[in-house]
Amino acid sequence: MRKPLMTAVSAGILVGALVLAGCSAGESQDHQGHDGGSTASSVGAMSDSPMDHPMDGGPAPAGIKAASAPKFPVGSQVMLTADHMAGMYGARATIVGAFDTCAYSVNFTPTTGGQPVKDHKWVVQQEIKNAGDRRLADGTEVTLEADHMTGMKGAKATIASSTDQTVYMVDYEADGMTMTNHKWVVESEIQPMP
């Protein structure tokens, strides 16, 4: 009885150490990641660990409008060409929401400190404090209400670029983990399943 218990405890410690090591690997945020990859689909771009983000992104923000005729309707099986996070590029995904709004790539310093995050893709209009309903110009300084990753909510940010493509929320699996309600990918970052 004692040996199986010791084996289970040892295995638990080993798994915990591996999870912690995985979370800290690639944690530098001075990159093109999390929802920040460059718009070019560079598979080798550094990106945040999925552990920096909740496994369930939660519901769409209040006030966001469902797309009336999206290219990829809810329930569509698609392939992602975004490289926001490790394992995302080429992943199979299910569309769980399609919305008409402006999406922004932003530069910000987390409220928790640390390195600035560059080119974080994407934050939508409804996740920016007092954004109104007009598209914000590049260079506009804003306060984020999005909570996609630690230190994002309440952070001061600068709009790096924007798009008015249809914005999608997706469920997908990457590196053995299932991400649900992942926010966000835009239409150009999605392809039909081959």
Side-chain angles (χ1 to χ4, degrees), residues 102-118:
C102 289
Y104 299 92
S105 172
V106 295
N107 300 327
F108 70 97
T109 299
T111 59
T112 53
Q115 294 295 313
V117 175
K118 307 260 188 224

Side-chain angles (χ1 to χ4, degrees), residues 80-99:
L80 301 179
T81 59
D83 63 350
H84 303 166
M85 301 186 336
M88 181 180 245
Y89 184 86
R92 294 173 178 255
T94 302
I95 303 294
V96 294
F99 305 93

Side-chain angles (χ1 to χ4, degrees), residues 9-44:
V9 170
S10 298
I13 291 170
L14 179 60
V15 168
L18 290 172
V19 167
L20 288 174
C23 288
S24 64
E27 211 168 57
S28 169
Q29 294 176 343
D30 187 14
H31 59 65
Q32 321 254 329
H34 159 30
D35 281 353
S38 63
T39 51
S41 297
S42 55
V43 181

Side-chain angles (χ1 to χ4, degrees), residues 36-73:
S38 63
T39 51
S41 297
S42 55
V43 181
M46 289 181 68
S47 60
D48 289 335
S49 162
M51 299 299 277
D52 290 340
H53 313 281
M55 300 301 275
D56 183 345
I64 197 166
K65 184 176 134 192
S68 57
K71 180 176 180 180
F72 302 103

Side-chain angles (χ1 to χ4, degrees), residues 61-149:
I64 197 166
K65 184 176 134 192
S68 57
K71 180 176 180 180
F72 302 103
V74 171
S76 299
Q77 300 294 307
V78 297
M79 185 176 76
L80 301 179
T81 59
D83 63 350
H84 303 166
M85 301 186 336
M88 181 180 245
Y89 184 86
R92 294 173 178 255
T94 302
I95 303 294
V96 294
F99 305 93
D100 286 331
T101 187
C102 289
Y104 299 92
S105 172
V106 295
N107 300 327
F108 70 97
T109 299
T111 59
T112 53
Q115 294 295 313
V117 175
K118 307 260 188 224
D119 198 23
H120 172 96
K121 292 185 173 74
W122 300 96
V123 174
V124 296
Q125 189 91 14
Q126 294 75 14
E127 296 175 315
I128 296 174
K129 187 174 186 176
N130 300 323
D133 55 6
R134 289 196 175 159
R135 188 170 176 174
L136 302 171
D138 292 0
T140 303
E141 294 187 6
V142 298
T143 300
L144 301 177
E145 292 185 341
D147 198 13
H148 302 171
M149 56 192 287

